[in-house]
């Protein structure tokens, strides 16, 4: 991998992580506004270390270990730092399972946003899908059945990977629905301690980091690059949290850019799992284009 590709991948990961975590920054800012100075400072300092180094370092290792169990926990950790061709070959051989699982998760995430979530309509067709939200479960069921049908012909474990990705989506989605209700209680009730609010924010960070880490594998299988790129994005999100979050809210289509990026990354991961290899530089470039377009649309609306 040449230096230009590395730079593009890291920058692409940082932009992707930042954009998909805008909602996270808004939640953080709103809850932090109800906390005392000491708890707020603890979260912004130690919470940052947990978000950047623990979660975004631990998750890729667990994913590599889970999809390549033959390496074992120690071998999986070494593989994240090793340039040994044999280790790289072992990871590459298990990559289709990882890619199809992560890709299915991201595609489901996109369709949930398209059909069911409240949004600013960046494209006229989004209003049509939002008015037909009842079709969400039909669409994702057909998508999963189609992916599994073709994956079985490649390898049974790939088909299982697709099902695992859909399962992970519904688990995470259920947690986030519960978290939304919990946030309303935290904002409206004074009985909750600062400690409970810090724990809540850490759990929310963990759920958003899953989106970032899974999408990162569409950019590269190199865990050090994933940790670096996602870590820079997490730093940017913390900066958004402590800065004027209202300024971010003035750009109404940032979430749209994030979700279309998620769709693109999910499709790339699924295609890659079937052997259609995409050059490493294309993924960050397309991500820049998608995010840049919706950022431009947001600026035009804000003026």
């Amino acid at each position: 991998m040449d230096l230009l590709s590395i730079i593009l991948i890291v920058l692409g990961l940082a932009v992707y992580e930042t954009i998909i975590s805008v909602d996270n920054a808004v939640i953080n800012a709103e809850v932090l506004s109800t906390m005392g100075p000491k708890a707020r400072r603890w979260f912004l300092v130690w919470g940052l270390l947990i978000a950047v180094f623990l979660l975004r370092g631990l998750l890729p290792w667990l994913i590599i270990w889970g999809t390549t169990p033959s390496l074992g926990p120690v071998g999986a950790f070494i593989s994240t730092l090793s340039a040994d061709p044999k280790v790289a070959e072992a990871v590459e051989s298990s990559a289709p399972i990882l890619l199809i699982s992560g890709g299915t998760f991201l595609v489901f995430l996109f369709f949930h946003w398209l059909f069911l979530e409240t949004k600013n309509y960046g494209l006229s067709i989004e209003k049509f899908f939002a008015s037909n939200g009842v079709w969400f479960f039909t669409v994702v069921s057909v998508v999963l059945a189609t992916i599994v049908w073709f994956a079985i012909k490649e390898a049974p474990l790939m088909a299982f990977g697709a099902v695992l990705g859909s399962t992970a989506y519904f688990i995470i989605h259920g947690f986030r629905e519960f978290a939304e209700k919990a946030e309303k209680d935290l904002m409206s009730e004074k009985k909750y301690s600062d400690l409970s609010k810090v724990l809540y924010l850490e759990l929310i960070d963990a759920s958003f980091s899953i989106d970032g880490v899974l999408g990162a594998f569409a950019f590269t299988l190199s865990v050090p690059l994933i940790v670096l790129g996602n870590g820079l994005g997490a730093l940017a999100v913390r900066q958004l949290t402590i800065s004027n979050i209202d300024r971010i809210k003035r750009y109404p289509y940032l979430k749209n850019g994030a979700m279309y990026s998620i769709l693109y990354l999910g499709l790339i991961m699924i295609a890659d799992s079937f052997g259609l290899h995409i050059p490493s530089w294309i993924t960050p470039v397309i991500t820049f284009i998608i995010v840049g377009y919706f950022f431009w649309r947001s600026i035009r609306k804000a003026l």
Side-chain angles (χ1 to χ4, degrees), residues 15-157:
V15 169
Y16 168 70
E17 174 71 24
T18 302
I19 294 300
I20 68 167
S21 298
V22 166
D23 285 350
N24 190 17
V26 172
I27 292 171
N28 287 348
E30 290 176 345
V31 176
L32 283 170
S33 66
T34 68
M35 295 163 55
K38 185 176 180 181
R40 196 180 306 138
R41 186 167 54 252
W42 190 97
F43 174 74
L44 291 173
V45 175
W46 293 104
L48 176 63
L49 295 176
I50 294 172
V52 175
F53 297 105
L54 182 59
L55 290 176
R56 285 162 179 80
L58 183 64
L59 277 175
W61 166 64
L62 289 174
I63 291 170
I64 292 292
W65 177 21
T67 55
T68 319
S70 60
L71 291 175
V74 177
F77 176 76
I78 293 173
S79 74
T80 64
L81 305 172
S82 175
D84 187 342
K86 293 182 178 179
V87 174
E89 184 179 344
V91 174
E92 286 285 348
S93 66
S94 299
I97 303 169
L98 164 61
L99 292 171
I100 200 169
S101 178
T104 302
F105 177 92
L106 294 179
V107 169
F108 274 42
L109 197 64
F110 168 79
F111 279 120
H112 180 270
W113 170 81
L114 185 64
F115 279 97
L116 299 179
E117 291 186 25
T118 303
K119 65 181 74 64
N120 296 303
Y121 298 121
L123 299 176
S124 57
I125 197 172
E126 292 169 5
K127 192 171 184 179
F128 167 79
F129 286 108
S131 64
N132 291 278
V134 69
W135 288 96
F136 165 72
F137 291 101
T138 301
V139 170
V140 295
S141 297
V142 171
V143 168
L144 179 61
T146 303
I147 294 173
V148 169
W149 172 261
F150 287 102
I152 286 176
K153 298 178 181 180
E154 296 289 328
L157 280 179

Side-chain angles (χ1 to χ4, degrees), residues 165-187:
S166 68
T167 302
Y169 160 77
F170 285 110
I171 292 172
I172 297 299
H173 171 64
F175 168 77
R176 286 183 182 166
E177 282 200 336
F178 173 79
E180 287 178 6
K181 296 176 182 177
E183 184 191 0
K184 294 177 182 177
D185 291 340
L186 288 171
M187 299 297 292

